[in-house]
Amino acid sequence: MSSELAIRVERVSKAFPVYDKPMHRLYQMLSPRAAKQRWYREFHALQNIDITVRKGETLGVVGRNGSGKSTLLQIICGTLEPSAGTVQVSGRIAALLELGAGFNPEFTGRENVMLYGTVLGLSRSQVEERFDEIAAFAEIGEFIDQPVKCYSSGMYVRLAFAVAINVTPDILVVDEALSVGDEAFQRKCFARINRIRDDGATVLFVSHSAGIVTQLCDRAVLLDRGELLSSGSPKFVVSRYHKMLYVPPDRAEAVRAAIRAEREDDALPASTELSSLSVVDREDARLVSSVSAPSALLEDSGSRGWFDEGLVPKSTVRYDTRGARIGVPHIETPEGRKVNVLHAGDTYLYVYRVDFHDSATEVRFGMLIKTLTGLELGGGATALPQNSMPLVEAGQTVEVRFRFRCLLDAGTYFLNAGVLACLAGEETYIDRLIDAAMFRVMSQPERLATGFIDFCITSYATVLGPSEVHA
Ligand SMILES: Nc1ncnc2c1ncn2[C@@H]1O[C@H](COP(=O)(O)OP(=O)(O)OP(=O)(O)O)[C@@H](O)[C@H]1O
Ligand SMILES: [Mg+2]
């Protein structure tokens, strides 16, 4: 991350006129400029906000509904004028603001792409060059030549997102929009955001999801009633955000004052810790497990689940193959039934085949399970390095089966697959598929576990008798 600044917001305030009656708006419009009487009250959506964002930093903006997040992003993007204060932005800024901002509803998707692309600083020919990629990313098919007012909200956001991330922005601003669209599209967007970040872009991200903010962001700020109440590491800020979310109204002012007083230093936490949480396509697959005997793979039976043809990842990336090729990655029940909608607690097999075009030595195979945002939950390998397969000959195919218990909460998850071998004396991936397959875990209302992983926690709560009253 650079020490240079990408965004500097200084003493920014925004007041909106609020009219008690619709007629008052008209009276105000008709009254002479010099008139003393005002027909509106001022509502302060932002008050004296100071924020700096460094180049390459990902900043999360959290806060309750109406706290001023979208107003702030619009001011940073220049689509709204502040009432006071200044905003300085360095570099090309691409924004994905709340629905309604950005596109002209009367124009077709194609026309809006051209318009938006040129607004973002590309020449017409540059937009034309990227047009096919943008249209392909948006997945809206023939609708690209229809006016965007006919689009569903999902199509609208997909197209806006496709443009915003294909103009190679220096600063990407995303306001909640990713909650629209299916999980495969969301995963594709998160993978792309991570790539944009890895390329050194600055990202500003509004989300109500504490998990997404802690996974994606280097730092976060908390807005409350237009005030910048807290800033610091995502974990620190998100915990203050939760305090504000659940505070009873009569305690709100006291809690606000306490949060104000304990403002964390703006210094960033160690970047190594952050990147391990947020970068999706990292090199190591955390190869940790030992060899599994084939018989042990088949001992469970009766796993539930079914196959949904629509669950196909759109974010699959294959690394350069070096003599081996992974194919047909999928999940099976122990009885061999192909499934991708799983039942929490049941046992499944993650299976893929590897065709070896060249002979390979010291071969082992890996897997990794990730969340929608790319958080690596856990993985495994067929062997430790010293127990790898000594030789696989050219022309041979190996089938790899990983048995796992689905100890996951309801949600959508993604799988990696990788083949390691010894090349020129070093262990190297000879094929690797990121987001090779995806699966969904069905919700089970009777489950007590919270978070992504089910630790099979058992609990006891015992009434001990009358409690002692403390003065
Ligand atoms: N054009 C406007 N005129 C009057 N008030 C406005 C206008 N735009 C926003 N506001 C008010 O300013 C406050 C901040 O709105 P903003 O949209 O920035 O909140 P937000 O934090 O993005 O909320 P949400 O989480 O619901 O998206 C709200 O009380 C809103 O009603
Ligand atoms: Mg908003």
Side-chain angles (χ1 to χ4, degrees), residues 77-151:
C77 295
T79 50
L80 199 64
E81 281 286 316
S83 313
T86 55
V87 173
Q88 287 167 288
V89 173
S90 149
R92 192 206 316 268
I93 183 162
L96 199 56
L97 299 177
E98 285 180 323
L99 285 185
F103 286 163
N104 183 330
E106 300 299 328
F107 290 2
T108 65
R110 187 181 296 272
E111 288 162 343
N112 270 302
V113 169
M114 294 310 296
L115 198 71
Y116 193 23
T118 45
V119 165
L120 291 172
L122 295 190
S123 68
R124 243 193 119 72
S125 61
Q126 280 174 318
V127 186
E128 269 162 15
E129 236 169 65
R130 298 174 195 207
F131 183 82
D132 289 345
E133 195 179 337
I134 292 172
F137 192 99
E139 301 169 23
I140 52 172
E142 292 164 9
F143 273 92
I144 194 79
D145 288 312
Q146 297 292 320
V148 300
K149 66 182 177 194
C150 315
Y151 287 15

Side-chain angles (χ1 to χ4, degrees), residues 390-445:
L391 173 71
V392 182
E393 285 175 21
Q396 288 185 317
T397 296
V398 176
E399 186 176 69
V400 192
R401 304 169 83 80
F402 296 95
R403 176 174 176 267
F404 68 98
R405 255 190 93 193
C406 180
L407 297 176
L408 295 167
D409 192 15
T412 306
Y413 300 89
F414 292 77
L415 286 156
N416 286 2
V419 187
L420 287 153
C422 184
L423 284 187
E426 249 185 67
E427 186 170 62
T428 312
Y429 279 107
I430 56 171
D431 196 23
R432 188 162 189 228
L433 268 183
I434 308 296
D435 294 350
M438 66 188 281
F439 63 93
R440 184 174 296 146
V441 179
M442 282 176 274
S443 74
Q444 281 177 284

Side-chain angles (χ1 to χ4, degrees), residues 65-66 68-71 98 175-176 206 208:
N65 291 122
K69 305 179 296 293
S70 300
T71 306
E98 285 180 323
D175 191 352
E176 282 285 44
V206 165
H208 284 109

